[in-house]
Amino acid sequence: MTAQPKQTALATENLAAVELDGVRLALGDIRFAFDGRIPAGRITAVTGPSGSGKSTLLNLIAGFEMPDAGRVRLAGQDVTRLHPGARPLSLVFQDHNLFAHLDLFTNIGLGVHPALKLTGEDRTRISAALQRVGLAGYEGRKPGTLSGGERQRAAFARALVRQRPLLLLDEPFAALDPGLRLAMADLLSGLHQETGASIVLVTHDPGEVMRLADEVIYLSTGKILFHGDRHAFCAQTAHPEISKFVASS
Amino acid sequence: MRKIHSFAFAALAALSVSLPAMAADKPVLTVYTYESFTAEWGPGPKVKAAFEKTCNCTLNFVSVADGVALLTRLKLEGTSSNADVALGLDTNLVQEARETGLFAEHGIDTAAAKVPGGFSDPVFVPYDYGHFAVVYDTQTIKTPPKSLKELVEGDPSQKIAIEDPRTSTPGLGLLLWVKSVYGDKAPEAWAKLRGRILTVTPGWSEAYGLFTKGEVPMVFSYVTSPAYHVMEEKTDRYQAARFEEGHYIQIEVSGLLKATRQKELAQQFLAFTLSPAFQSIIPTTNWMMPAAATVEPLPEAFGKLVSPSKTFLMSPEEVSRNRQGWIREWLAAMSMN
Amino acid sequence: MLGTGEVRRGLAAGGASLAAIGGLVTLPTGALLALAPASSAGTLFDSYTLSLLRFTLLQATLSTLLSVALALPVALALARRAAFPGRIWILRLMAVPMGLPVLIGALGLIGIFGRQGLVNRLLAIAGVDHPVNIYGLSGILLAHVFFNLPLACRLMLAGLERVPAEDWRLAASLGLGRLSLLRHVELPALARVLPGAAGLIFMLCATSFTLVLVLGGGPAATTLEVAIYQSLRFDFDPARAVALSLLQIALTGLVLAVLSRLPAAEGSRGEGRIPRRFDGEGFGSRIMDTLAILLATLFLVLPLGAIAAAGLKADLLRLISLPAFHQALLTSLAIALTAGLLSLLTASGILTAQAAIADRRHPSPVLRVFGRALSALSSLVLLVPPVVLGTGWFLLIRPHADVARVAPLLIAAINMLMALPFVMRVLAPAFESHRLRTTRLAASLNVTGLARLRLVDAPILARPMLMALSFAMALSLGDLGAVALFGSQDLVTLPWLVYSRLGSYRTQDADGLALLLGLLCLALTALGTAGQRRQP
């Protein structure tokens, strides 16, 4: 496959992490229309009511959906027709982030090299990543023996070793209980500060938006209703729907 | 088994290569026959040995499931068949076989053949025969039926297993037997007999299996069947019932293929089938009656077999002409509510 | 979501499978029709054919309903009682009827339920002087349930075992009662396998031949398959045989189409935990489940026991030492293995193509038709009478090669076709849930090609593949039909050996060989389900 761009997130201000240029997609009755630039090096929360298109937006960026029209660019590179695995990004889903039959080391190793050709240095990095997310010594464990929170930590560890400039998170904490969510949010902030990667976080939780996001994209029925920094998001009065969302945090 | 084969399990393809034993300089005679003829206990191995002693040739059997399959195989192969001789058709198949146009007149002297009812044909040579009979278990049946009429009208709680005339030659034999005895009244006879019939099986093996398992005390089989049990199993528990009206006969024949390139050798083989050497092998391997003189008198067990007072045999043309109609008649009589 | 290469390869694999199946079926049919002499196909719809049709559909429908309905409580009980003593062996025994030549199975059944069978002897001792008579529709149904209840049970159990651990936990936490659990968890899981299982059983019963004649009691019980056999073997009327085959395919296809309209629930995904059941703790529930399992086992074991008892009377040591037995064993195993591997290959091709099509959100009409053709063909092949396939292929091959040399491969290919629907039933749900669990993740990590096969697919799919292989091999081992057509003394399989002994008064040898064949099937299934207990 194509060579993975190895640059870390030192993208300049004018090179957006994600650029959606006239992206259009019809799924069932809903017509999605996305335009905009997601800045590099920041945490952008994508939020909105159920069915507004949060996951669709993420899937378009990740490559799980092909737009009917328009272009998707990552760090200036047109990836519209690129297979998900060939895009310079990492993903963490709400669940099913790990192959159930493989141990954590192998699961994370697959993120480094898809055919598992690992160097000694890679192995050290995998163990270090596990340690960083609080799973030191868990290399040989199978996902089935872990708690939900531990499985998400393992997924973060994999994102860490992949060193991609963009990290997409699809409701990564939704399946966890509230106490655990706070701890995981802290972990995510920490990782963001260490790597400087651009992060796009899909969430329906206003609290998470307030806690984590630098920027906010608010979707409604397949369109971007608001896109701006978090303070502007909290202060806006044009959309009562958004005000209500902010007030519920 | 006599044949030599080497199975080459080439990779997973399991392509087998069969190499019949043959010496390059000797002519090869290919005889198509049915499977039980060539089985290790059948006549095949002995016949091969005996014939090869006299012919300076190699006798090669190719066997299929039964006589019907044999004819089908010949029809499918047509004039390009490898067969020189077909051995194992019965009288009911003769007409159809003749109509294929694949057979040539045998041109040999068949005076040695002595078959009840007499069978003489320019194309087909009889090599053995057997009268059909109801075989019963003496442990269950104390007073066996003495005639077809008694079978038809007897106690319906004493059951019989018969074969289906649509799929088997013994089944067709019973159909023709009933027709020979009852004529136009055959449907009524079948309707009456129906109550005694436990089941109608697709072939002889199934019916006889039910019989030897003790599930049914009577089965439609051959007069010669008890001989097998006496000689191989040393028991006279199973006996054939002698029917006053007479018994229908099945004659097995062989014939010469037009397309053969070994006509003389094939004729030599057909003549051999009527010789005492061949005929002596038949009774205790094929469990049928020899169609000509044997070297020694038949074993004692054969002497005790039922000898029918009369032999029924319809001409092949008549069978061929009426088979479909009579089967339809049988179906109607057997399916009526 | 799949790479374009993966989609292309998947569609190509499906195309190859489709071509293989289509070729195997249509070429010989064409050859037969080309040969066709004067045809009586014009009188196809006489009252005889209509009555055959009526009876075929009646007995197949009843057989299917009974098999499925009776298998249901057994499957539910077996799913609930993972620790039932001897459970794995009960499951393995369930594969044995499939590998038995039907006549042997019928004789085993008769040993128990026949006029002189165990049941009637017990009834006589109990003073009931009216023996139970199974000959007729009841005998046919009994035999079909004997052969197909185990199949239905195994397929349903596989469906229940795919319910993720999370669902059982959720159900337990909600305190769902027996009925709610059945309605909301178990039935939806069964609904995914039921149409397929029922369709398969329907086809098997509709094309049943020997069982129907032996146990049917008279010509009123006759299936279309008998007429097809008769018209090709006895009347040598290929046109009529083909026409009747088409009629059989069309009619049964119609029933299958109706079955396929049954709503099937979405496949579910779990985190791969070993499911643990929290229900069925009550005393009554234990008793009922135990009863269901024991009754089914008894129903299965008694006739098998009758076969074994008969077989033990034979001189087994002599049979085992016969060169003919060795030869037949090797031939049977080689053909069965080839047929099994071919059916795995073909089924994988079909499933990969279907996954590639499912991957498209808007598949083109051509692709949609292609996908439908794949599912239809893979199940309908069971309806093409082997006698038609065999005769047609004989015609095709003979002018070009020695049929005897090609016969083993051809028999394997025909057995492959017969096994395909079974293999698909085992593999399709396994492939589907595997696809749901892994496609997105594998795509996001760019794990493709051989690496994907080695790391992601092989470890998970190896077990269903092994199970499917043992299914297919057992089926091929028990098959007589395809062999009988090419029958030559150089090609003898185990069932052929059994039948040839039965055909020459040698019933005891046949019993002994049948026992050996049954044991072989059992050993194969044991291999196919090996390691099922060792799973952590």
Side-chain angles (χ1 to χ4, degrees):
Chain A
M1 287 281 157
T2 47
Q4 303 291 352
K6 274 267 177 179
Q7 87 259 38
T8 37
L10 294 170
T12 50
E13 283 295 311
N14 51 11
L15 204 55
V18 180
E19 199 178 335
L20 302 167
D21 181 0
V23 169
R24 301 289 178 269
L25 175 66
L27 287 181
D29 292 341
I30 307 182
R31 292 173 188 288
F32 297 95
F34 301 123
D35 289 276
R37 295 156 57 89
I38 296 176
R42 314 191 70 182
I43 297 183
T44 303
V46 177
T47 190
S50 296
S52 58
K54 301 188 290 287
S55 291
T56 306
L57 176 57
L58 196 84
N59 283 339
L60 281 162
I61 300 172
F64 293 127
E65 291 287 1
M66 291 283 171
D68 298 336
R71 319 297 309 168
V72 178
R73 278 185 279 274
L74 301 184
Q77 181 197 0
D78 188 338
V79 298
T80 315
R81 295 287 151 206
L82 220 50
H83 182 257
R87 298 188 182 198
L89 50 82
S90 286
L91 278 156
V92 176
F93 309 112
Q94 182 175 334
D95 51 22
H96 288 284
N97 285 298
L98 305 169
F99 292 110
H101 63 287
L102 300 175
D103 62 21
L104 286 199
F105 179 84
T106 314
N107 262 299
I108 295 171
L110 279 175
V112 181
H113 190 284
L116 219 58
K117 295 202 174 65
L118 302 179
T119 63
E121 188 203 341
D122 291 333
R123 292 167 187 278
T124 320
R125 282 203 300 131
I126 291 168
S127 294
L130 275 172
Q131 188 168 14
R132 171 64 190 88
V133 299
L135 296 177
Y138 275 44
E139 283 86 345
R141 297 276 292 271
K142 293 272 179 74
T145 67
L146 303 183
S147 72
E150 286 168 334
R151 283 200 292 268
Q152 291 308 75
R153 284 169 187 272
F156 281 158
R158 186 174 58 208
L160 204 54
V161 297
R162 278 166 67 80
Q163 297 180 319
R164 299 294 152 88
L166 175 62
L167 175 59
L168 302 181
L169 303 165
D170 190 359
E171 306 262 15
F173 314 134
L176 307 179
D177 55 55
L180 213 48
R181 262 186 238 179
L182 282 180
M184 292 296 286
D186 286 346
L187 178 62
L188 181 62
S189 299
L191 293 178
H192 179 233
Q193 273 160 21
E194 285 162 36
T195 61
S198 320
I199 292 179
V200 176
L201 167 72
V202 168
T203 176
H204 63 275
D205 177 359
E208 238 160 65
V209 175
M210 299 309 151
R211 249 191 324 277
L212 286 167
D214 303 318
E215 294 238 345
V216 181
I217 295 176
Y218 189 95
L219 303 179
S220 181
T221 57
K223 309 260 180 321
I224 297 177
L225 199 60
F226 177 91
H227 184 179
D229 90 1
R230 191 184 73 220
H231 302 292
F233 181 68
C234 295
Q236 71 80 41
T237 51
H239 305 289
E241 186 184 339
I242 295 179
S243 308
K244 232 168 92 185
F245 178 84
V246 171
S248 68
S249 68
Chain B
M1 284 204 187
R2 296 297 308 273
K3 57 223 172 257
I4 299 169
H5 25 212
S6 76
F7 265 73
F9 291 101
L12 293 166
L15 263 175
S16 81
V17 186
S18 80
L19 303 169
M22 60 179 83
D25 50 337
K26 284 186 190 170
V28 177
L29 184 73
T30 304
V31 175
Y32 278 20
T33 183
Y34 48 79
E35 190 271 337
S36 65
F37 194 88
T38 55
E40 73 220 57
W41 55 79
K46 287 176 185 158
V47 167
K48 180 176 163 69
F51 186 62
E52 284 179 354
K53 248 187 261 168
T54 65
C55 72
N56 190 33
C57 70
T58 301
L59 177 56
N60 181 20
F61 285 119
V62 172
S63 59
V64 296
D66 52 31
V68 180
L70 178 56
L71 184 55
T72 306
R73 173 86 173 242
L74 290 173
K75 283 180 184 169
L76 288 175
E77 295 186 351
T79 48
S80 69
S81 175
N82 292 325
D84 298 307
V85 169
L87 179 145
L89 300 170
D90 77 7
T91 26
N92 294 325
L93 296 170
V94 157
Q95 184 59 18
E96 248 181 278
R98 203 192 311 273
E99 281 165 6
T100 61
L102 295 170
F103 288 88
E105 297 201 351
H106 53 67
I108 64 163
D109 176 15
T110 58
K114 300 254 180 319
V115 179
F119 179 89
S120 176
D121 192 278
V123 175
F124 297 102
V125 183
Y127 65 91
D128 68 12
Y129 69 89
H131 285 98
F132 290 114
V134 169
V135 174
Y136 64 97
D137 182 350
T138 53
Q139 290 187 0
T140 324
I141 306 263
K142 300 303 174 195
T143 50
K146 289 190 209 43
S147 62
L148 192 58
K149 190 165 181 292
E150 276 192 36
L151 178 74
V152 167
E153 292 170 2
D155 176 6
S157 72
Q158 288 190 327
K159 299 285 183 191
I160 182 170
I162 67 164
E163 297 84 2
D164 197 318
R166 291 171 296 175
T167 50
S168 83
T169 39
L172 188 56
L174 179 58
L175 185 83
L176 299 177
W177 191 356
V178 172
K179 198 77 200 170
S180 304
V181 172
Y182 284 88
D184 290 345
K185 298 266 183 271
E188 287 83 344
W190 277 111
K192 234 181 252 170
L193 180 60
R194 203 177 138 202
R196 286 193 94 164
I197 295 173
L198 180 70
T199 194
V200 183
T201 67
W204 177 89
S205 304
E206 292 86 357
Y208 213 79
L210 289 178
F211 175 65
T212 49
K213 296 255 167 214
E215 174 69 3
V216 64
M218 293 188 287
V219 66
F220 189 71
S221 184
Y222 295 93
V223 161
T224 44
S225 298
Y228 174 84
H229 297 288
V230 171
M231 295 189 65
E232 298 283 319
E233 295 172 351
K234 315 293 174 218
T235 171
D236 54 5
R237 176 176 169 183
Y238 304 113
Q239 293 296 333
R242 183 172 185 277
F243 282 3
E244 279 164 7
E245 300 96 336
H247 290 238
Y248 201 89
I249 195 173
Q250 180 179 34
I251 302 169
E252 297 195 286
V253 304
S254 44
L256 179 82
L257 274 299
K258 241 184 216 161
T260 178
R261 269 178 244 140
Q262 317 264 6
K263 187 159 185 198
E264 273 174 38
L265 193 55
Q267 282 176 317
Q268 197 186 330
F269 180 76
L270 288 183
F272 173 71
T273 62
L274 288 174
S275 72
F278 179 97
Q279 290 294 322
S280 301
I281 298 169
I282 288 295
T284 54
T285 53
N286 217 28
W287 302 103
M288 293 287 270
M289 299 298 281
T294 52
V295 180
E296 311 252 330
L298 288 181
E300 199 194 341
F302 280 82
K304 289 185 181 161
L305 295 179
V306 164
S307 71
S309 56
K310 187 182 166 194
T311 293
F312 292 111
L313 178 63
M314 289 188 192
S315 77
E317 297 78 21
E318 190 180 1
V319 174
S320 171
R321 202 169 48 240
N322 293 306
R323 186 167 64 93
Q324 295 285 11
W326 288 342
I327 285 179
R328 225 171 291 131
E329 192 181 274
W330 175 82
L331 281 173
M334 289 289 288
S335 313
M336 261 185 329
N337 290 311
Chain C
M1 211 172 296
L2 296 168
T4 48
E6 284 174 300
V7 170
R8 218 176 22 239
R9 276 194 298 276
L11 293 179
S17 294
L18 191 69
I21 302 171
L24 271 171
V25 174
T26 51
L27 288 178
T29 313
L32 266 183
L33 284 178
L35 176 85
S39 156
S40 59
T43 57
L44 192 58
F45 284 100
D46 51 11
S47 64
Y48 175 55
T49 316
L50 286 179
S51 73
L52 293 189
L53 260 180
R54 203 166 38 235
F55 185 78
T56 303
L57 292 178
L58 172 76
Q59 62 86 8
T61 306
L62 289 177
S63 298
T64 308
L65 286 177
L66 272 176
S67 300
V68 169
L70 292 174
L72 184 70
V74 186
L76 287 172
L78 280 169
R80 242 185 324 262
R81 311 288 160 197
F84 195 85
R87 182 179 183 271
I88 185 85
W89 283 102
I90 295 175
L91 292 181
R92 285 172 182 169
L93 267 182
M94 286 186 167
V96 174
M98 215 163 65
L100 282 179
V102 282
L103 176 57
I104 294 299
L107 289 178
L109 278 170
I110 286 168
I112 302 304
F113 300 100
R115 277 175 83 238
Q116 309 295 329
L118 189 66
V119 169
N120 271 329
R121 271 180 279 157
L122 290 179
L123 282 179
I125 292 170
V128 182
D129 57 352
H130 282 289
V132 178
N133 180 18
I134 57 165
Y135 296 91
L137 186 59
S138 53
I140 295 172
L141 295 182
L142 183 82
H144 281 164
V145 171
F146 172 75
F147 278 96
N148 296 311
L149 180 144
L151 177 66
C153 199
R154 278 174 60 134
L155 290 172
M156 285 198 238
L157 187 61
L160 286 171
E161 283 178 342
R162 274 189 292 271
V163 173
E166 287 78 0
D167 286 17
W168 298 120
R169 275 200 318 195
L170 182 64
S173 71
L174 294 175
L176 292 190
R178 183 75 213 91
L179 280 179
S180 314
L181 197 65
L182 185 67
R183 198 173 131 206
H184 299 297
V185 182
E186 290 167 330
L187 284 185
L190 288 174
R192 279 194 292 280
V193 293
L194 217 52
L200 191 58
I201 293 171
F202 186 87
M203 282 189 284
L204 287 171
C205 296
T207 55
S208 181
F209 178 131
T210 305
L211 281 180
V212 167
L213 283 184
V214 170
L215 294 167
T222 301
T223 49
L224 269 179
E225 192 89 2
V226 176
I228 295 168
Y229 177 89
Q230 183 196 351
S231 51
L232 201 52
R233 283 290 309 283
F234 244 58
D235 305 342
F236 201 67
D237 186 349
R240 186 175 161 83
V242 170
L244 285 171
S245 305
L246 288 177
L247 185 65
Q248 171 161 306
I249 294 171
L251 246 126
T252 318
L254 211 65
V255 174
L256 293 187
V258 172
L259 274 174
S260 74
R261 310 293 306 189
L262 289 178
E266 285 274 305
S268 53
R269 313 160 35 159
E271 288 285 2
R273 258 199 222 93
I274 303 303
R276 211 188 114 207
R277 300 282 296 255
F278 304 89
D279 56 322
E281 292 302 315
F283 181 69
S285 159
R286 276 169 201 278
I287 294 288
M288 290 303 286
D289 284 352
T290 307
L291 208 63
I293 297 174
L294 284 185
L295 278 177
T297 310
L298 211 61
F299 178 64
L300 187 67
V301 161
L302 282 179
L304 292 180
I307 294 167
L312 287 173
K313 284 189 206 144
D315 188 350
L316 288 179
L317 284 179
R318 180 179 60 82
L319 288 176
I320 290 175
S321 64
L322 285 177
F325 175 73
H326 301 157
Q327 184 82 64
L329 182 68
L330 276 180
T331 309
S332 276
L333 281 177
I335 289 178
L337 185 64
T338 312
L341 291 174
L342 282 177
S343 63
L344 283 191
L345 200 67
T346 314
S348 308
I350 293 173
L351 290 168
T352 332
Q354 282 174 337
I357 295 169
D359 192 59
R360 294 283 171 88
R361 197 175 284 286
H362 307 291
S364 67
V366 177
L367 273 187
R368 261 190 303 226
V369 169
F370 179 57
R372 294 231 181 90
L374 282 176
S375 357
L377 258 192
S378 62
S379 54
L380 285 176
V381 285
L382 205 57
L383 295 169
V384 185
V387 68
V388 168
L389 290 181
T391 315
W393 272 111
F394 184 94
L395 278 172
L396 279 177
I397 289 174
R398 224 196 89 75
H400 311 292
D402 181 8
V403 176
R405 298 184 68 171
V406 194
L409 194 58
L410 211 50
I411 293 169
I414 293 176
N415 283 352
M416 176 277 271
L417 286 184
M418 290 165 37
L420 195 60
F422 294 83
V423 169
M424 287 289 288
R425 294 305 182 280
V426 175
L427 288 189
F431 269 60
E432 173 67 5
S433 66
H434 179 65
R435 188 175 74 84
L436 285 173
R437 281 193 184 138
T438 59
T439 305
R440 219 158 86 116
L441 186 53
S444 80
L445 296 175
N446 207 20
V447 181
T448 55
L450 278 180
R452 184 186 158 119
L453 199 64
R454 178 168 60 90
L455 293 165
V456 180
D457 299 333
I460 292 300
L461 295 178
R463 186 167 323 158
M465 294 277 247
L466 203 61
M467 183 174 162
L469 181 67
S470 75
F471 250 63
M473 283 185 70
L475 205 75
S476 167
L477 272 181
D479 174 60
L480 179 74
V483 178
L485 298 161
F486 300 103
S488 91
Q489 72 218 33
D490 299 320
L491 185 74
V492 175
T493 60
L494 281 179
W496 181 252
L497 211 55
V498 172
Y499 264 78
S500 103
R501 308 253 152 179
L502 271 177
S504 342
Y505 295 104
R506 287 165 171 75
T507 318
Q508 208 163 64
D509 277 11
D511 288 339
L513 290 169
L515 172 62
L516 294 174
L517 187 56
L519 288 175
L520 191 61
C521 278
L522 196 59
L524 265 181
T525 347
L527 279 179
T529 50
Q532 230 167 52
R533 288 283 87 171
R534 268 181 273 127
Q535 175 73 351

